[in-house]
Amino acid sequence: MRILVVEDDIKIACFIIKGLEQAGFAVDHSGNGEDGLFLAQTEPYDAAIIDVMLPGLDGLSLIAEMRKAQAHTPVIILSAKRSVGDRIKGLQTGSDDYLVKPFVFAELLARLQALIRRSTGTAEAASLAIGDLSMDLLTREVVRSGQKVELPPREFSLLEYLMRHENRVVSKTMILEHIWNYNFDPQTNVVDVLVCRLRNKVDRDFDQKLIHTIRGVGYVIKKS
Amino acid sequence: MRILVVEDDIKIACFIIKGLEQAGFAVDHSGNGEDGLFLAQTEPYDAAIIDVMLPGLDGLSLIAEMRKAQAHTPVIILSAKRSVGDRIKGLQTGSDDYLVKPFVFAELLARLQALIRRSTGTAEAASLAIGDLSMDLLTREVVRSGQKVELPPREFSLLEYLMRHENRVVSKTMILEHIWNYNFDPQTNVVDVLVCRLRNKVDRDFDQKLIHTIRGVGYVIKKS
DNA sequence: CTTCCACAACCAGAATACGCATGGGGGTAT
DNA sequence: ATACCCCCATGCGTATTCTGGTTGTGGAAG
């Protein structure tokens, strides 16, 4: 899931970005309206979080421009103003939700997930399962054969990515991009290592292996 | 499918090349415009990915030169510039699509496949089948008479190539070019060896042979 | 019908590339 | 301050590919 954040205040931006990344999102950021608009028009985001008060092109105009060109990407507006008027104006412009600063991060996250759930139409399964392996996305609990498995964030994220692509081969490049948000070659074996770690926790102690290697290509998760 | 990549930044080049290879393409690379132009003029590529900022001959001039001489090979431009003006200039020069760095590899791949699909007219099939032999390109699973067959990358690639040319004879030279990306004679019998290994796995245990030898010419895959 | 030649098929050892595992160091969060 | 996680480097084992040699087969000519 890719999120665009347009926010000029560095501190707030960092706060949001880190929070979202920890929640498993890939985040791009822009500090002004023009760059934000450009990103929105060129990259396929699943949602955007936009401040109204921006240097240059302001948030509402930005959304208006986005809506002219583009399909409906869910947008959450951030604002210091709490007047009802602004709120209405924001929603009229084409935003999908409205949050007043200062806000609690958990609320932003909850609203964001709700929006994505709504827009993707797919009633965003709260859990994924393959064979006797299941993963609860809300509680971040992973269970194999009734036995709970503890996973650090990156490994959890990788497993989620694999499970969302059940039976389909995902290349190392795609993993690199999805988990690290890299668009260049790190010249190391980080992916191999992460997969290895995940396997040790998910597959090692069990008879039926779920994570399979496709040499020269990548990995698949599947039952047989 | 053969792709030309012209990009001077080593890290980005590696990233793209590996990604494309993992996706099953044969990739040639050049780090500067002159060599890129030479390759484009001498080899038959199905598409090209070209950076605008290059040492020596820049990307736009390169495309212009290509267009002078040559039939319409689909081109995707990569650029660090995000202005709309540059984008328009790129598209006017004769490129077919435009991607801003940093970009998401999945998007590059999607656009590339869309371009190829458009230019060749053929809709990219998700699986291939001949008689009781079938091959799933996504999961990379090969099945003969309901029995699963494991194939290493090269053999898989060869089988895919043969099946895409069902009932048509493919010469050894063509195979060399597509699998090894060679345009010269390696003076060895690598092709024979590879075909042999593929036969052992696909044809040996079955009554009806699918891979046939045309002496002095090459090979065909067909039912009878 | 036999012989010869060219090409294809097959085999096995060697070289290589690739993926896997482990441990240390640095950074970060608690 | 401590513990944890993540990145990175290294070494190891194995799968896969390449190479050269050898055997097998078909076609053409004598």
Side-chain angles (χ1 to χ4, degrees):
Chain A
M1 286 290 159
R2 303 190 65 203
I3 311 293
L4 172 64
V5 174
V6 188
E7 164 68 65
D8 59 324
D9 185 311
I10 304 293
K11 280 190 153 185
I12 297 177
C14 282
F15 175 67
I16 297 173
I17 292 169
K18 284 187 182 173
L20 290 177
E21 282 176 348
Q22 282 166 10
F25 294 100
V27 185
D28 278 355
H29 168 248
S30 155
N32 64 71
E34 286 82 6
D35 292 352
L37 177 58
F38 187 84
L39 282 173
Q41 286 175 339
T42 49
E43 304 291 330
Y45 294 105
D46 299 288
I49 297 169
I50 297 171
D51 189 15
V52 274
M53 288 292 290
L54 289 170
L57 185 69
D58 72 284
L60 294 183
S61 312
L62 165 54
I63 295 172
E65 284 300 317
M66 280 174 61
R67 288 286 177 256
K68 272 187 197 169
Q70 208 183 352
H72 191 274
T73 306
V75 173
I76 295 178
I77 279 191
L78 298 182
S79 169
K81 302 176 185 175
R82 35 188 3 145
S83 84
V84 181
D86 282 306
R87 186 164 197 154
I88 290 172
K89 209 157 77 184
L91 292 174
Q92 278 177 341
T93 316
S95 76
D96 303 271
D97 209 337
Y98 195 100
L99 214 56
V100 175
K101 292 196 275 194
F103 56 88
V104 180
F105 181 75
E107 192 186 355
L108 174 60
L109 190 59
R111 287 182 185 241
L112 184 64
Q113 285 168 335
L115 266 188
I116 291 175
R117 185 162 46 246
R118 217 191 299 154
S119 84
T120 56
T122 53
E124 189 72 13
S127 68
L128 298 167
I130 293 176
D132 60 350
L133 173 67
S134 69
M135 146 181 268
D136 188 314
L137 296 172
L138 284 165
T139 62
R140 299 183 73 81
E141 252 186 356
V142 177
V143 176
R144 176 87 198 252
S145 300
Q147 194 175 333
K148 193 175 169 190
V149 179
E150 291 292 344
L151 291 184
R154 280 241 149 83
E155 290 167 31
F156 183 90
S157 185
L158 172 62
L159 183 59
E160 180 188 349
Y161 187 55
L162 286 173
M163 291 182 81
R164 284 189 191 279
H165 293 79
E166 179 180 2
N167 289 326
R168 294 210 313 236
V169 181
V170 290
S171 71
K172 291 190 181 185
T173 307
M174 291 173 70
I175 293 175
L176 207 49
E177 190 165 292
H178 208 267
I179 310 285
W180 282 266
N181 210 17
Y182 275 7
N183 32 33
F184 54 86
D185 188 343
Q187 313 277 7
T188 72
N189 62 348
V190 275
V191 177
D192 306 56
V193 173
L194 190 67
V195 171
C196 173
R197 296 232 138 88
L198 181 59
R199 265 189 175 136
N200 286 344
K201 290 168 189 161
V202 166
D203 262 351
R204 165 169 277 185
D205 305 332
F206 301 88
D207 196 37
Q208 192 191 37
K209 307 302 180 193
L210 292 174
I211 302 174
H212 306 273
T213 308
I214 311 295
R215 279 183 73 92
V217 184
Y219 303 91
V220 212
I221 195 164
K222 60 177 178 179
K223 265 185 266 186
S224 59
Chain B
M1 285 291 158
R2 303 189 64 200
I3 312 292
L4 173 64
V5 175
V6 186
E7 161 69 63
D8 59 325
D9 186 310
I10 304 292
K11 280 188 158 187
I12 296 177
C14 282
F15 178 71
I16 296 173
I17 293 169
K18 285 186 183 172
L20 289 177
E21 283 176 348
Q22 285 163 11
F25 293 99
V27 185
D28 277 358
H29 168 248
S30 155
N32 65 72
E34 286 81 5
D35 294 351
L37 179 59
F38 179 79
L39 282 173
Q41 286 174 340
T42 47
E43 301 293 327
Y45 294 105
D46 298 288
I49 296 168
I50 298 172
D51 189 15
V52 274
M53 288 291 291
L54 289 170
L57 184 69
D58 72 283
L60 294 184
S61 312
L62 166 56
I63 294 172
E65 285 299 319
M66 279 175 61
R67 288 283 177 258
K68 272 187 198 169
Q70 208 182 352
H72 191 275
T73 307
V75 172
I76 295 178
I77 279 190
L78 297 183
S79 169
K81 297 180 185 173
R82 30 190 37 173
S83 82
V84 180
D86 283 302
R87 184 172 199 149
I88 290 170
K89 210 158 76 184
L91 293 173
Q92 278 176 342
T93 316
S95 76
D96 302 272
D97 210 335
Y98 193 100
L99 218 55
V100 175
K101 291 196 279 192
F103 57 88
V104 182
F105 180 77
E107 195 189 354
L108 175 61
L109 190 60
R111 289 185 187 229
L112 184 65
Q113 284 167 337
L115 270 186
I116 291 174
R117 185 164 46 247
R118 219 190 297 152
S119 80
T120 60
T122 56
E124 186 80 7
S127 68
L128 300 167
I130 294 176
D132 60 350
L133 173 67
S134 70
M135 147 181 268
D136 187 316
L137 296 173
L138 280 165
T139 63
R140 299 182 70 86
E141 255 182 52
V142 177
V143 176
R144 176 86 197 254
S145 301
Q147 193 175 335
K148 194 176 167 190
V149 180
E150 292 289 348
L151 291 184
R154 279 237 149 83
E155 292 167 30
F156 183 89
S157 187
L158 172 62
L159 183 59
E160 179 188 349
Y161 186 57
L162 286 173
M163 292 182 82
R164 283 189 191 280
H165 295 77
E166 180 181 2
N167 290 326
R168 282 186 295 173
V169 183
V170 291
S171 70
K172 293 190 181 185
T173 310
M174 291 169 67
I175 294 175
L176 265 174
E177 208 167 279
H178 268 260
I179 310 285
W180 282 265
N181 212 15
Y182 277 4
N183 36 27
F184 54 89
D185 187 347
Q187 311 284 1
T188 71
N189 63 347
V190 274
V191 177
D192 306 58
V193 173
L194 190 67
V195 172
C196 170
R197 286 208 310 264
L198 181 59
R199 267 186 173 140
N200 285 343
K201 288 169 188 161
V202 166
D203 262 351
R204 165 168 279 184
D205 305 333
F206 301 89
D207 196 38
Q208 191 190 38
K209 307 303 180 193
L210 292 173
I211 303 173
H212 307 274
T213 307
I214 311 297
R215 282 183 73 89
V217 185
Y219 304 90
V220 212
I221 194 164
K222 59 177 180 180
K223 266 185 266 187
S224 58

